[in-house]
């Protein structure tokens, strides 16, 4: 029986497919995407590439036919994922999928103020009440987000404005999240397990600002603000408050309702979680934020230059 990956044309999905292909026969991999044409190279290697959309439960159930296991990569429309994820879980049940590994988020607690986490709390509860055997992969914030978004903006503006302050998180490299997911998909003994997929150390947002300055060699002023001030900053950048498909500002697909509530959760300690689960699952120590930024300094500076060019 095959392993299906939803959202397979995204960075996480493609990374997971690449790892699975090292130990799983291509004909046992089903890649589901709203843009299957982006996965042509995988089809050429023998994977089954199918159209599937979280908005279309019936079509998704057809795309999942023949799959025993599903890697359910959470949708991107923060605050609007409940109906999409409901469709995905119901589609998996209808298709006869036996088990699901879901990319959730650390701090999945009902009291967590983060808008993104509310979606994950709902989805975890939904999956628990389904017929599916489950594993929850609670990923921390990607360290890659600092490289691709937070860092370039801070370097270009010379400022890092935030609510989070000394609130901390164990930022984790996307590749370590992908490797952890692949280990669960191809391994045994993960039924009913919850894994906290984090980096090796807790880092405060203040320390993130200092690290960006160190890596870039550029001064970054760290400024604390309140919720209204952070909204005002994002409004000034033209960033929408709610998610809008295919909209990006300075090449970043942001929305401020998500980011502001996220920083409040960081500030209040909901994401101050660190575990050794990545090493247990993959056999390797996860990459630190510092290591990722220094290893990709050229890309960081190029992204900062693009932000400056758009201003």
């Amino acid at each position: 029986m095959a392993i299906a990956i939803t959202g397979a044309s995204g960075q996480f999905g493609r990374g997971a497919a690449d790892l699975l292909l090292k130990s799983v026969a291509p004909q046992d991999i089903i890649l589901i995407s709203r843009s299957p044409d982006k996965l042509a190279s995988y089809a050429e290697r023998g994977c089954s590439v199918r159209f599937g959309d979280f908005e279309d439960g019936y079509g998704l159930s057809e795309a999942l036919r023949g799959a025993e296991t599903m890697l359910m990569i959470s949708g991107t429309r923060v605050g609007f994922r409940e109906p999409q994820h409901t469709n995905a879980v119901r589609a998996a049940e209808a298709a006869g999928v036996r088990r699901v590994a879901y990319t959730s988020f650390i701090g999945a607690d009902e009291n967590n103020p983060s808008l993104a986490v509310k979606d994950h709390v709902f989805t975890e509860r939904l999956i628990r009440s389904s017929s599916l055997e489950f594993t929850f992969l609670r990923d921390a914030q990607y360290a890659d987000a600092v490289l691709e978004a937070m860092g370039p903006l801070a370097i270009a503006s010379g400022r890092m404005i935030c609510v989070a302050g000394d609130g901390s998180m164990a930022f984790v490299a996307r590749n370590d999240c992908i490797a952890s997911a692949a280990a669960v998909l191809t391994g045994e003994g993960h039924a009913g397990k919850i894994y906290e997929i984090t980096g090796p150390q807790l880092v405060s947002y203040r320390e993130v600002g200092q690290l960006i300055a160190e890596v870039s060699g550029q001064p970054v002023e760290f400024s604390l603000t309140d919720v209204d001030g952070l909204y005002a900053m994002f409004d000034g950048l033209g960033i929408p408050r709610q998610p809008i498909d295919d909209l990006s500002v300075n090449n970043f697909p942001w929305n401020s309702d998500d980011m502001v509530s996220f920083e409040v959760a960081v500030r209040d300690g909901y994401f101050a979680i660190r575990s050794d689960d990545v090493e247990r699952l993959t056999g390797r120590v996860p990459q630190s934020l510092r290591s990722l930024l220094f290893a990709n300094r050229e890309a960081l500076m190029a992204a900062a230059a693009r932000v400056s060019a758009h201003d």
Side-chain angles (χ1 to χ4, degrees), residues 79-100:
F80 296 84
R81 292 184 285 198
E82 292 185 9
Q84 293 181 327
H85 289 180
T86 298
N87 285 341
V89 172
R90 299 294 177 244
E93 290 183 301
V97 173
R98 185 176 65 83
R99 65 177 185 140
V100 59

Side-chain angles (χ1 to χ4, degrees), residues 37-64:
D37 55 302
K38 295 180 179 179
L39 296 167
S41 63
Y42 293 91
E44 291 172 0
R45 296 178 65 179
C47 299
S48 177
V49 174
R50 303 174 184 177
F51 175 84
D53 188 339
F54 280 2
E55 299 287 353
D56 176 11
Y58 176 78
L60 187 58
S61 69
E62 291 302 303
L64 286 166

Side-chain angles (χ1 to χ4, degrees), residues 89-205:
V89 172
R90 299 294 177 244
E93 290 183 301
V97 173
R98 185 176 65 83
R99 65 177 185 140
V100 59
Y102 172 62
T103 60
S104 186
F105 204 82
I106 60 168
D109 179 284
E110 290 184 357
N111 297 316
N112 193 316
S114 168
L115 187 64
V117 168
K118 293 183 187 302
D119 291 341
H120 292 299
V121 169
F122 169 87
T123 305
E124 286 192 9
R125 185 184 303 117
L126 175 70
I127 292 172
R128 286 180 185 276
S129 67
S130 75
S131 61
L132 301 169
E133 178 184 294
F134 68 85
T135 305
F136 297 146
L137 295 152
R138 291 181 175 173
D139 297 335
Q141 175 66 51
Y142 291 158
D144 308 66
V146 180
L147 172 66
E148 297 163 1
M150 292 172 64
L153 180 60
I155 295 166
S157 66
R159 299 181 70 191
M160 182 173 169
I161 302 172
C162 81
V163 168
D166 293 314
S168 62
M169 178 180 297
F171 291 85
V172 64
R174 182 189 289 113
N175 283 341
D176 286 324
C177 296
I178 293 169
S180 298
V184 166
L185 293 172
T186 56
E188 299 293 335
H190 303 297
K193 297 291 182 62
I194 298 173
Y195 295 112
E196 307 286 355
I197 307 300
T198 77
Q201 65 259 150
L202 292 167
V203 182
S204 74
Y205 268 43

